Amino acid sequence: HVNSLEDFERVPVVTKAELRQSQADNEPFGDYLCVPESEVHHIHGTSGTTGRPTAFAIGRDDWQAIANNQARVMWGMGLRPGDIIFIGSVFSLYMGSWGTMIGSERLRAKCFPFGAGATGMTSRAALWMQLTKPKAFYGTPSYALHIAEIAQGEGIDPRDFGLELLFFSGEPGASIPSGKGRIEDLYAARVIDSGSMAEMTPWMNCAGTRETDGMLLWQDFVYTEVCDPKSFSRVGWGEQGTPVYTHLERTSQPMIRLLSGDLTHWTDGADNPCGRTYPRLPDGIYGRIDDMFTIRGENIYPSAIDGVLNELPGYGGEHRIIITRDGAMDELLVKMDALEDVYAQGEDALSELRGRAEKDLSIVLGVRARVEIAAAGEIPRTDFKARRVVDDRDLFKSLMSGGRET
């Protein structure tokens, strides 16, 4: 029997692997659909690029409840009926775009479901935002940076879009101070972090507000615990752990103690500037436990490297993290691009940037990292979630043998 929240901590967690196995055994929606298939209104899912895709089946009543909840959170961000909300993310399987769209519609905002992913679409996104002057943009942090870069290359100042708010999900970055500040400076607009897991839609159950940085845990439609990743019991306020989520309203594919595998820390929310009393993730969700890698005994998260590079004045906005073992030693190579004007100054400027990057990375990470500098725009950009970590022995060796890149 569960008679208290403490009792609830003893309920076993559910993992993504168990969901995939359930769907393999009970195609297509698993044995946890919990509503008649005739009530399924929308089907979404994962891409399946790393294995069997997971299907998300959402009932008609749930679709409306999700819209209500997303609209509530967007109101907390400062959005109001009539505001133009520009959605710059892929409309396909990805729940982020659809969740933002139905929340915008429920809010009675002017929803602009522009999308992303087609050739030339980034340039057109800049043109359309310059034309329509939306109040808010939704997408990923890396794509917002990419749009700004393309716009500037075409002589458009991203500040001329007139945005007041950019809110993001899908990847860390919007709560990392250096990355957040960089985007806010480019657009002269506020950045708000949001997003938990597609399985937990309404995924805005973790989201900041107009007044409060980080993410609030909107506990009245998804109950969130930050737990020890081994015992799955709640950690104390101020401590680090992994979020575990439970739906309170969903009837189709409802999740009870779904293990996220993400990494964060939480506070009791007593000092939330907006006055809401939800617990808060003051630094958002800053990585996945399985994204962590170890270099010479030090645990390193990609978000820590992102934070260092975004503080560098000459950083061009994109990088790759290449890890391997060279002989008996772990090695870390960070390949980053430089701003066009910095790259044009030649080897002295690049050597200074490289040295600053290597020094700052070693201070933050506690291990030596070798830095290679690439020309502006040489490292491919993305209009979806950035994938920056490469574990490739052969690639590392080819870069090492080629000497320093300029």
Side-chain angles (χ1 to χ4, degrees):
H1 298 285
V2 176
N3 298 309
S4 67
L5 294 178
E6 288 71 24
D7 290 343
F8 188 61
E9 292 179 52
R10 296 197 293 271
V11 174
V13 297
V14 176
T15 67
K16 287 186 176 183
E18 289 172 327
L19 299 182
R20 288 193 294 270
Q21 187 59 54
S22 175
Q23 293 195 357
D25 295 340
N26 303 271
E27 294 182 334
F29 302 127
D31 60 0
Y32 56 96
L33 178 58
C34 299
V35 297
E37 281 202 33
S38 60
E39 292 186 20
V40 173
H41 176 58
H42 260 247
I43 300 172
H44 296 271
T46 62
S47 63
T49 53
T50 59
R52 180 186 176 87
T54 302
F56 308 141
I58 303 175
R60 192 170 302 276
D61 290 343
D62 283 343
W63 195 249
Q64 296 304 314
I66 290 165
N68 287 338
N69 288 319
Q70 304 271 105
R72 276 184 57 203
V73 176
M74 293 165 72
W75 179 281
M77 294 178 180
L79 297 172
R80 297 294 182 266
D83 291 341
I84 298 177
I85 300 173
F86 188 99
I87 303 175
S89 58
V90 175
F91 276 89
S92 59
L93 294 167
Y94 181 55
M95 275 304 305
S97 309
W98 295 93
T100 303
M101 185 185 77
I102 64 174
S104 302
E105 292 172 343
R106 179 64 183 86
L107 189 61
R108 300 186 66 82
K110 297 183 183 75
C111 179
F112 192 164
F114 185 82
T119 302
M121 208 162 184
T122 304
S123 178
R124 291 197 295 274
L127 292 174
W128 273 104
M129 282 196 281
Q130 187 179 40
L131 176 67
T132 59
K133 299 292 191 292
K135 180 172 181 177
F137 171 89
Y138 167 78
T140 63
S142 57
Y143 192 46
L145 289 169
H146 185 36
I147 291 176
E149 184 179 54
I150 293 297
Q152 290 171 332
E154 297 181 356
I156 301 171
D157 186 342
R159 296 181 175 212
D160 292 342
F161 298 156
L163 290 165
E164 297 179 26
L165 164 68
L166 298 95
F167 62 106
F168 300 125
S169 71
E171 64 185 24
S175 287
I176 299 172
S178 56
K180 179 177 185 287
R182 189 159 177 258
I183 296 170
E184 288 181 332
D185 182 64
L186 282 168
Y187 288 92
R190 175 156 171 71
V191 165
I192 293 180
D193 200 1
S194 68
S196 57
M197 302 170 67
E199 291 89 345
M200 292 312 303
T201 299
W203 51 261
M204 285 187 196
N205 63 294
C206 301
T209 68
R210 179 170 51 187
E211 303 85 2
T212 304
D213 288 333
M215 294 176 168
L216 300 187
L217 302 177
W218 298 68
Q219 299 284 61
D220 45 352
F221 55 90
V222 172
Y223 176 62
T224 302
E225 309 161 88
V226 176
C227 296
D228 181 278
K230 294 181 180 178
S231 69
F232 307 120
S233 296
R234 279 179 290 159
V235 299
W237 301 124
E239 295 183 24
Q240 185 170 269
T242 187
V244 174
Y245 301 114
T246 298
H247 279 126
L248 300 182
E249 295 184 353
R250 279 276 295 269
T251 58
S252 53
Q253 289 188 330
M255 294 291 112
I256 298 176
R257 302 206 82 209
L258 178 63
L259 179 64
S260 69
D262 291 326
L263 189 68
T264 189
H265 69 279
W266 65 346
T267 66
D268 64 3
D271 61 348
N272 292 338
C274 64
R276 293 175 177 85
T277 56
Y278 299 123
R280 178 158 61 121
L281 312 180
D283 296 318
I285 293 169
Y286 40 80
R288 289 191 54 78
I289 292 173
D290 54 12
D291 282 346
M292 184 193 78
F293 55 91
T294 302
I295 298 292
R296 296 189 287 279
E298 293 289 337
N299 294 335
I300 296 173
Y301 290 92
S303 58
I305 295 174
D306 297 352
V308 170
L309 298 183
N310 275 297
E311 292 279 5
L312 294 174
Y315 174 51
E318 194 53 84
H319 64 276
R320 293 293 180 268
I321 302 164
I322 302 165
I323 53 177
T324 190
R325 178 177 292 272
D326 185 46
M329 294 291 290
D330 294 329
E331 299 290 349
L332 175 61
L333 171 68
V334 176
K335 183 176 181 179
M336 56 173 280
D337 62 9
L339 291 174
E340 189 172 353
D341 59 340
V342 174
Y343 195 82
Q345 294 174 31
E347 178 57 32
D348 288 346
L350 297 180
S351 179
E352 181 179 347
L353 176 60
R354 183 187 301 119
R356 168 77 180 274
E358 291 181 342
K359 177 182 176 182
D360 291 356
L361 284 168
S362 68
I363 291 171
V364 171
L365 304 179
V367 297
R368 180 182 62 84
R370 178 171 171 181
V371 173
E372 296 286 352
I373 307 294
E378 179 179 316
I379 302 175
R381 269 53 175 170
T382 178
D383 52 16
F384 194 43
K385 301 179 184 181
R387 306 293 187 188
R388 295 190 169 108
V389 180
V390 179
D391 191 351
D392 190 315
R393 182 183 303 270
D394 293 335
L395 175 59
F396 181 86
K397 286 184 176 179
S398 69
L399 289 170
M400 290 290 284
S401 63
R404 291 197 181 277
E405 294 186 6
T406 59

